[in-house]
């Protein structure tokens, strides 16, 4: 499979080969030198350590897998308003494949939607029943690419996104943040931390945010608030207990309008459908979610080389979702949308836990960093929904008149009460990172037991178990080059929550070749990788929420990412080529690319801080190129006549900008995304709908730090 990728990208293979040859000529040492592990660059922009790659704080250059890390400072420079925004410059990640969606953060990693974790524990179960996490509550975002089931159990073949929550610190510090922007955006936030007692054995942190805002979609707001108190208690010198809490409420609606192909990607007699057009009814459309989470982290140093870590979270959330959208996805008489009414009351209650031992020891000339653990998760999902085709009547998409629904709106009592679905998973894992001279061998194995209970008395519970593994080999040369090869597997149980049906588990495997480069004496970090993924039992959900399996998919790609930092300039650049192919689907058909994944992506962000010329001044600029995407269908020819041609989106490029000035305790900045206010279509799906990307977004910020 890799040979096919190489044929597509000979220039990148040549680059990769050149890097390896440079490393081979370097002088090899017979003994491994002692190296100081630096976690972040001098200004805190680049992180060299990721906890997600090995469930341990292992340097990125010593992990034979692809991982990208976004620091709090990087997220701030980018002016990211959402986690989805923050992912826009990461190699191999397509952020916002389904346009601007205030209901949640969406991304494709290597062509596949990732699972989201927070502090190493899965945080999202089911659909449309959780609040949207805010970047302000985080100190780091970690993107682990490729299969990761060996450590995390449930994980897609594309990878996972791990959100790292802000922790209490001993040094007293704080900030107040005021933000205004277009779409009537007003936001206030604050973050303060420090020690409660003189001995700094009890630490606190309090983070909170309030936002009142409209969006680029008419009549859709994006209001939110959260408060996150946290405590850390050093019970002894070797024992620390941390409590992280978050209480959040989001009030928004459906900013995504599911517009038809004609009028967006395809020409229409009456022209392009405006990107701000609202299909639902003002005052009716809403997606209101509230969520409470409590996370407990225990760190116990048993001996100098043995550590026990336990993390556990309880989460409870409720969502009230009311909307109308055009279905079927087509214009009626070239200008009208036939609206369906959608209502749902969703809830999710979950408990997740991970108990882990970390042991560092030597056996002869081999140095081991062993991690083993037992994790458990249980989620109860209640999804009550009502879908009424054409009940919302016709709406003139070019000249809408709201309030003319032909029949009375259904009431909350009309929503059918569906039984709850339960998912349980127990997993045991072990990983050993073995170092000998400059060789690093990583071996991992995991066993999972999963039980899905659809909840309906007419449907039986389904139990699955799976064994997954990962192996990687890396060599670190004197000149900073570290080539590697790795193989990994993934496993994820699947449940059609809308219909209470357990599906076959999603399975995948990947082989990856890569290079990591951290030049000595610099702050730079450069990574490159080629990979080949096979995924089986890929799910597909239609507009009515019904889920089916498409069969087998092959994904091949190349990724290059460079994080460079000098005294006054830092650069974040990436390129990704992704080639996807449906080998077969449930009907036995072949061909077609995966939907909503660009074939090429290129991005560059640079920030200049001329401390010697103008202290405190900063200016940044970004460029993003996104190649064409496919609707996911295949070319179909019957009796010599082509009856289907995949619909592709047009490639586009966007420019971002930041300018700011730091004076004393104040930090002033202006951020602009999509500087030229381009109207772009991020993807179109074979089912019939297309999605508009983010229009120009402007925010002005004032931060006071103390």
């Amino acid at each position: 499979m890799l040979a096919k990728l190489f044929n597509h990208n000979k220039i990148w293979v040549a680059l990769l080969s050149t890097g390896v040859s440079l490393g081979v000529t370097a002088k090899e040492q017979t003994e491994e030198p002692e190296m100081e592990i630096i976690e972040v660059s001098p200004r805190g922009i680049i992180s060299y350590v990721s906890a997600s790659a090995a469930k341990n704080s292992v340097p990125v250059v010593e992990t034979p897998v692809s991982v990208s890390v976004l620091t709090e400072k990087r997220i701030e420079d980018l002016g990211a308003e959402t986690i989805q925004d923050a992912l826009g410059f990461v190699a191999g990640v397509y952020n916002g494949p389904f346009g601007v969606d205030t209901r949640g953060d969406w991304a494709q990693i290597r062509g596949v939607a990732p699972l989201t974790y927070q502090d190493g524990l899965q945080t999202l179960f089911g659909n449309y029943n959780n609040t949207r996490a805010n970047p302000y509550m985080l100190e780091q975002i970690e993107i682990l690419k490729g299969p990761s089931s060996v450590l995390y159990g449930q994980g897609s073949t594309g990878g996972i996104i791990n959100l790292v929550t802000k922790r209490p610190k001993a040094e007293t510090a704080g900030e107040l943040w005021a933000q205004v922007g277009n779409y009537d955006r007003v936001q206030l936030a604050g973050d303060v931390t420090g020690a409660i007692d003189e001995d700094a054995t009890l630490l606190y942190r309090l983070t909170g945010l309030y936002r009142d805002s409209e969006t680029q979609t008419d009549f859709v707001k994006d209001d939110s608030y959260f408060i996150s108190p946290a405590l850390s208690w050093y019970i002894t010198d070797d024992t620390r207990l941390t409590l992280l809490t978050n209480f959040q409420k989001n009030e928004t609606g459906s900013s995504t309008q599911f517009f038809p192909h004609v009028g967006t990607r395809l020409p229409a007699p009456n022209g392009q459908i405006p990107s701000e057009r609202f299909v639902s009814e003002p005052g009716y459309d809403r997606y209101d979610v509230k969520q409470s989470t409590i996370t407990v982290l225990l760190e116990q140093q048993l001996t100098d080389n043995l550590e026990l870590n336990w993390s556990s979270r309880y989460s409870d959330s409720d969502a009230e979702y009311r909307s109308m959208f055009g279905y079927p996805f087509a214009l009626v008489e070239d200008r009208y949308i036939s609206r369906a009414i959608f209502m749902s009351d969703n809830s999710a209650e979950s408990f997740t836990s991970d108990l882990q031992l970390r042991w560092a020891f030597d056996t002869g000339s081999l140095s081991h960093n062993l991690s083993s653990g037992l994790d458990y998760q249980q989620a109860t999902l209640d999804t009550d929904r009502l879908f009424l085709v054409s009940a919302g009547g016709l709406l003139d998409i070019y000249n809408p008149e709201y309030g003319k629904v032909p029949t009375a709106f259904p009431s909350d009592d009309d929503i059918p009460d569906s039984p709850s679905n339960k998912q349980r998973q127990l997993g045991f894992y072990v990983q050993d990172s073995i170092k000998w001279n400059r060789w690093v061998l990583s071996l991992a194995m995991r066993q999972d037991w999963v039980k899905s209970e659809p909840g309906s008395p007419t449907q039986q519970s389904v139990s699955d178990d799976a064994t997954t593994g990962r192996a990687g080999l890396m060599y670190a040369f004197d000149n900073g080059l570290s080539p590697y090869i790795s193989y990994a597997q993934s496993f994820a149980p699947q449940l059609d929550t809308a219909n209470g049906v357990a599906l076959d588990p999603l399975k995948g495997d990947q082989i990856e070749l890569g290079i990591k480069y951290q030049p000595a004496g610099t702050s730079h970090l450069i990574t490159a990788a080629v990979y080949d993924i096979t995924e089986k039992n890929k799910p597909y959900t239609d507009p009515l929420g019904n889920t089916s399996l498409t069969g087998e998919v092959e994904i091949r790609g190349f990724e290059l990412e460079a994080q460079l930092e000098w005294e006054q300039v830092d650069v974040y650049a990436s390129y990704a080529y992704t080639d996807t192919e449906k080998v077969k689907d449930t009907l036995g058909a072949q061909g077609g690319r995966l939907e909503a994944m660009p074939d090429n992506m290129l991005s560059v962000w640079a920030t200049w801080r001329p401390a010697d010329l103008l202290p405190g001044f900063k200016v940044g600029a970004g460029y993003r190129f996104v190649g064409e995407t496919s609707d996911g269908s295949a070319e179909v020819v019957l009796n010599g006549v082509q009856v289907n041609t995949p619909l592709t989106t047009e490639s586009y490029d966007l420019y971002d900008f930041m300018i700011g000035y730091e004076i004393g305790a104040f930090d002033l900045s202006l951020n602009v995304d999509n500087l030229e206010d381009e109207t772009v279509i991020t993807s179109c799906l074979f089912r019939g709908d297309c999605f508009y990307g983010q229009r120009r977004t402007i925010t002005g910020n004032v931060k006071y730090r103390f």
Side-chain angles (χ1 to χ4, degrees):
M1 300 298 181
L2 287 173
K4 183 175 180 180
L5 174 65
F6 291 162
N7 290 334
H8 282 295
N9 294 274
K10 292 181 179 179
I11 184 171
W12 298 113
V13 175
L15 176 64
L16 196 61
S17 302
T18 302
V20 173
S21 64
L22 287 173
V24 171
T25 59
K27 178 182 177 182
E28 300 182 16
Q29 295 184 0
T30 57
E31 295 184 0
E32 180 185 355
E34 293 294 328
M35 298 180 62
E36 179 185 2
I37 298 177
I38 302 176
E39 293 190 356
V40 295
S41 61
R43 289 199 300 271
I45 297 174
I46 303 174
S47 175
Y48 308 110
V49 174
S50 167
S52 65
K55 280 197 174 180
N56 203 342
S57 297
V58 176
V60 172
V61 293
E62 294 184 7
T63 57
V65 294
S66 290
V67 58
S68 298
V69 181
L70 301 174
T71 62
E72 183 180 356
K73 184 63 176 177
R74 174 77 71 190
I75 297 169
E76 179 184 325
D77 280 355
L78 296 176
E81 298 178 3
T82 65
I83 293 170
Q84 181 171 297
D85 291 342
L87 301 174
F89 291 85
V90 179
V93 179
Y94 185 32
N95 69 324
F98 308 114
V100 177
D101 193 340
T102 52
R103 299 170 301 173
D105 297 290
W106 309 103
Q108 303 274 66
I109 301 179
R110 297 183 174 179
V112 183
L115 290 185
T116 302
Y117 285 71
Q118 188 159 354
D119 303 314
L121 301 171
Q122 186 172 340
T123 186
L124 299 177
F125 296 88
N127 298 306
Y128 305 119
N129 54 26
N130 291 266
T131 56
R132 187 181 199 178
N134 192 291
Y136 193 66
M137 64 179 66
L138 308 176
E139 63 182 30
Q140 190 160 286
I141 301 176
E142 302 171 343
I143 302 95
L144 178 58
K145 305 168 192 176
S148 53
S149 291
V150 70
L151 292 181
Y152 290 91
Q154 297 194 54
S156 76
T157 52
I160 68 168
I161 296 174
N162 184 45
L163 312 177
V164 182
T165 307
K166 290 178 178 177
R167 305 289 203 276
K169 298 181 179 179
E171 182 179 355
T172 301
E175 73 172 19
L176 298 175
W177 175 24
Q179 180 186 78
V180 295
N182 58 341
Y183 306 119
D184 297 325
R185 182 183 182 91
V186 176
Q187 181 171 281
L188 300 173
D191 181 22
V192 61
T193 187
I196 296 177
D197 58 341
E198 294 183 358
D199 297 331
T201 60
L202 191 60
L203 315 179
Y204 74 93
R205 190 157 192 166
L206 181 62
T207 309
L209 179 143
Y210 170 82
R211 179 176 67 246
D212 183 286
S213 179
E214 304 297 320
T215 66
Q216 72 181 48
T217 304
D218 291 340
F219 306 110
V220 176
K221 59 185 179 180
D222 186 20
D223 300 344
S224 178
Y225 70 81
F226 76 82
I227 184 168
S228 298
L231 289 173
S232 281
W233 178 24
Y234 286 86
I235 303 173
T236 69
D237 292 341
D238 298 323
T239 308
R240 179 171 64 174
L241 181 67
T242 299
L243 179 67
L244 306 173
T245 64
N246 182 59
F247 306 96
Q248 184 170 350
K249 185 174 184 178
N250 291 359
E251 295 182 345
T252 181
S254 296
S255 58
T256 298
Q257 297 296 293
F258 309 97
F259 292 127
H261 292 173
V262 175
T264 52
R265 178 64 182 90
L266 300 178
N270 292 292
Q272 182 98 359
I273 298 174
S275 62
E276 70 274 11
R277 184 64 72 236
F278 180 65
V279 173
S280 187
E281 281 290 319
Y284 172 75
D285 193 274
R286 60 189 180 275
Y287 178 65
D288 297 343
V289 193
K290 58 182 180 180
Q291 185 172 21
S292 301
T293 62
I294 300 175
T295 305
V296 178
L297 308 174
L298 176 64
E299 301 162 89
Q300 175 68 55
Q301 195 72 39
L302 301 175
T303 68
D304 290 342
N305 300 318
L306 184 62
E307 181 181 349
L308 173 69
N309 291 275
W310 175 63
S311 55
S312 188
R313 176 185 299 121
Y314 172 79
S315 176
D316 183 45
S317 61
D318 294 282
E320 185 181 73
Y321 190 9
R322 306 287 186 268
S323 189
M324 302 171 68
F325 59 89
Y327 183 79
F329 304 112
L331 289 179
V332 179
E333 298 179 1
D334 296 331
R335 65 179 307 116
Y336 297 99
I337 288 287
S338 178
R339 297 185 298 179
I341 292 179
F342 179 80
M343 306 174 66
S344 72
D345 291 324
N346 302 333
S347 66
E349 185 179 19
S350 64
F351 174 76
T352 53
S353 185
D354 186 6
L355 181 64
Q356 181 187 122
L357 276 174
R358 300 176 183 174
W359 187 19
F361 62 95
D362 295 332
T363 56
S365 59
L366 303 179
S367 297
H368 299 260
N369 194 331
L370 182 69
S371 298
S372 63
L374 187 70
D375 57 28
Y376 174 78
Q377 59 187 33
Q378 175 179 309
T380 302
L381 310 177
D382 191 1
T383 303
D384 301 331
R385 62 172 191 153
L386 177 68
F387 182 79
L388 301 174
V389 177
S390 302
L394 295 177
L395 180 74
D396 188 338
I397 199 68
Y398 295 98
N399 186 26
E401 292 185 56
Y402 301 104
K404 295 186 176 182
V405 180
T407 59
F409 279 108
S411 68
D412 294 349
D413 295 334
D414 294 322
I415 304 175
D417 187 12
S418 301
S420 300
N421 303 304
K422 294 184 179 180
Q423 302 175 13
R424 294 185 177 92
Q425 178 173 332
L426 178 67
F428 172 76
Y429 59 89
V430 59
Q431 173 178 271
D432 194 5
S433 180
I434 307 168
K435 298 176 69 175
W436 176 70
N437 291 334
R438 290 190 169 273
W439 290 97
V440 178
L441 175 64
S442 178
L443 299 172
M445 188 68 67
R446 180 185 179 94
Q447 178 65 44
D448 276 298
W449 298 270
V450 180
K451 186 175 183 180
S452 301
E453 301 178 17
S456 172
T458 61
Q459 297 168 335
Q460 295 182 348
S461 300
V462 177
S463 298
D464 289 309
D465 65 272
T467 302
T468 53
R470 186 173 77 184
L473 183 64
M474 170 181 281
Y475 187 85
F477 291 100
D478 287 344
N479 60 0
L481 282 170
S482 298
Y484 67 89
I485 182 172
S486 65
Y487 172 79
Q489 297 174 315
S490 67
F491 164 82
Q494 301 186 107
L495 186 68
D496 182 356
T497 56
N499 297 291
V501 178
L503 305 172
D504 292 337
L506 181 70
K507 295 183 178 181
D509 55 53
Q510 171 191 273
I511 185 171
E512 178 174 306
L513 301 172
I515 286 181
K516 301 189 178 184
Y517 184 37
Q518 188 174 357
T522 75
S523 299
H524 309 326
L525 179 61
I526 304 170
T527 60
V530 292
Y531 61 87
D532 190 318
I533 294 174
T534 301
E535 185 179 56
K536 298 179 181 179
N537 300 328
K538 184 175 178 63
Y540 167 77
T541 302
D542 67 18
L544 301 181
N546 302 306
T547 303
S548 59
L549 304 180
T550 60
E552 185 173 322
V553 175
E554 290 186 355
I555 308 169
R556 296 163 292 270
F558 168 78
E559 295 166 357
L560 176 65
E561 184 172 277
Q563 297 193 65
L564 313 173
E565 182 177 328
W566 292 275
E567 187 175 345
Q568 296 184 357
V569 177
D570 67 82
V571 176
Y572 190 11
S574 70
Y575 168 77
Y577 168 79
T578 309
D579 177 26
T580 65
E581 180 183 3
K582 294 180 179 179
V583 179
K584 63 180 179 180
D585 61 20
T586 52
L587 300 178
Q590 296 186 6
R593 294 162 48 191
L594 289 179
E595 67 273 10
M597 185 64 195
D599 50 2
N600 287 278
M601 292 184 292
L602 173 69
S603 63
V604 180
W605 175 273
T607 306
W608 179 41
R609 293 177 172 85
D612 55 349
L613 181 65
L614 188 59
F617 178 74
K618 56 184 176 181
V619 62
Y623 169 76
R624 292 175 284 156
F625 169 82
V626 178
E628 68 173 29
T629 70
S630 171
D631 66 358
S633 67
E635 292 188 5
V636 179
V637 179
L638 295 177
N639 300 322
V641 179
Q642 187 159 334
V643 296
N644 183 70
T645 300
L647 180 66
T648 59
T649 61
E650 296 180 336
S651 62
Y652 60 89
D653 47 19
L654 301 173
Y655 297 90
D656 305 321
F657 177 75
M658 179 273 290
I659 189 170
Y661 187 68
E662 299 177 21
I663 178 170
F666 288 92
D667 184 350
L668 314 176
S669 65
L670 177 71
N671 290 85
V672 184
D673 291 339
N674 190 357
L675 185 64
E676 297 181 319
D677 198 21
E678 295 287 341
T679 300
V680 302
I681 296 175
T682 58
S683 69
C684 294
L685 304 182
F686 181 62
R687 66 187 189 183
D689 49 341
C690 294
F691 305 91
Y692 282 121
Q694 179 178 313
R695 299 291 298 271
R696 180 165 54 212
T697 304
I698 305 172
T699 56
N701 306 275
V702 178
K703 290 187 176 183
Y704 174 73
R705 296 189 173 99
F706 53 90

